[in-house]
Amino acid sequence: MTATPLSPAPAPRSRLPRRPTARGLRRTLCLLPLVLVGVVAVRHRSVLAEGVAQLRTAEWPWLLAAAGATCLTWVAAAVTRQGAVVQRLPALRLLATQFAAGAANHLLPTGLGASAVNLRFMAVCGVPLARSSAALALYLLAEGVARVGLLAALLLAFPGALRLGPLLPEGALGPLLAVLGAAAPVAAGALVLVRRLRSAVWAFLRTALGEARSVHARPARALALWGGSLAFPALQAAGLAAVGRALGLPVPATHMAVAYLAATVAVALVPTPGGIGSVEAALVVALVAVGGPVAVATAVVLAFRIVTVWLPLLPGALTLGALVRLKVI
């Protein structure tokens, strides 16, 4: 009887660490906003507690008006985003993305969170990166021009509304102008000397100008872009005025709107998450500059940030995680 030769035993597989899958990465990204909400809440727990305490003495109809104005800001942002791009974007997903982008904006340095969310959303919708970047730049430009223009119009209509003394500390204007004056030649020198940078900047400008021409060739898109850009800061200012009424701040509503616009323009370049910290300080100073008592102005600002930032933060983070999970962004 001939013995059957045994087949060689299979070589043991080397146990190498598995690379993280796309599903695992997406799960991590879904949970990350909730973790960041917890971190931000712990860091600012004293402000959060004080703001909640101020809401107990407020008139609730005015607080509901402030909450309504805050909800409408997401609609205005969605309208403006659609106006900045020629391609039609899905309306409901666009609105949900703006709600989620608001939370991302308070969890990351100002502007970066919302910009990243919207760039990803447009990429999923099939908008090429060059065009989506141009649309983002057009949105930021329109929003900035509208905010500054609205502030200038209110200052012209109410020239005595704002006293610049408290807003500009003594000796602060000179160093600020010096920094701006030094930054301009540095940027110009970099464009002249670095060829790749110059080529990239010119290519982006060509794309951005082409996208702007295409948008303004369509009246509906241009109306959405500039109408939404004006409505967004106007609704934010209306929210602050409503909270001021709720807490009895003895300042006219138009002056509170001037204070809000002046404060947000002043902190636009401060790289803190959602302006948390810097916006509160600037708003208190601005409300005092338009004639509000310090104690009441502080209470109004704390309550305003609860209504506009802290209450939507957790549902916004949950929406952000859901949009990531559903591959909307």
Side-chain angles (χ1 to χ4, degrees), residues 240-256:
L240 178 64
V243 174
R245 291 293 188 192
L247 290 174
L249 183 66
V251 174
T254 52
H255 291 200
M256 283 189 269

Side-chain angles (χ1 to χ4, degrees), residues 63-273:
L63 288 183
L64 291 176
T70 300
C71 293
L72 289 176
T73 59
W74 301 317
V75 177
V79 170
T80 311
R81 297 282 183 186
Q82 178 61 83
V85 65
V86 174
Q87 182 173 328
R88 182 72 178 175
L89 301 174
L92 290 179
R93 281 185 284 171
L94 176 60
L95 180 59
T97 300
Q98 301 318 301
F99 182 49
N105 218 33
H106 296 300
L107 300 174
L108 296 173
T110 306
L112 294 183
S115 298
V117 168
N118 279 285
L119 283 174
R120 178 60 186 163
F121 173 70
M122 286 187 281
V124 172
C125 291
V127 182
L129 179 60
R131 290 179 53 203
S132 62
S133 301
L136 176 62
L138 182 58
Y139 169 87
L140 294 174
L141 176 64
E143 205 275 335
V145 170
R147 188 177 295 267
V148 174
L150 188 58
L151 174 61
L154 286 176
L155 287 175
L156 287 175
F158 306 96
L162 186 66
R163 293 179 287 112
L164 293 179
L167 286 177
L168 295 176
E170 187 177 353
L173 186 58
L176 178 61
L177 294 177
V179 170
L180 293 177
V186 169
L191 287 176
V192 171
L193 297 175
V194 184
R195 183 176 180 180
R196 287 187 177 181
L197 177 62
R198 184 170 64 251
S199 300
V201 169
W202 290 130
F204 174 76
L205 287 176
R206 283 195 298 271
T207 303
L209 290 174
E211 192 72 12
R213 283 196 297 268
S214 300
V215 164
H216 287 88
R218 300 177 176 226
R221 290 289 188 273
L223 180 61
L225 175 65
W226 293 104
S229 296
L230 283 170
F232 186 77
L235 287 167
Q236 290 179 319
L240 178 64
V243 174
R245 291 293 188 192
L247 290 174
L249 183 66
V251 174
T254 52
H255 291 200
M256 283 189 269
V258 169
Y260 176 81
L261 294 170
T264 52
V265 169
V267 300
L269 299 179
V270 178
T272 58

Side-chain angles (χ1 to χ4, degrees), residues 160-163 166 248-252 255-256 259 283-294 296-297:
L162 186 66
R163 293 179 287 112
L249 183 66
V251 174
H255 291 200
M256 283 189 269
L283 278 175
V284 171
V285 172
L287 287 175
V288 172
V290 296
V294 176
V296 183

Side-chain angles (χ1 to χ4, degrees), residues 4-24:
T4 304
L6 297 174
S7 57
R13 293 181 181 179
S14 59
R15 294 188 176 182
L16 298 175
R18 293 185 178 181
R19 298 179 62 185
T21 62
R23 182 178 297 180

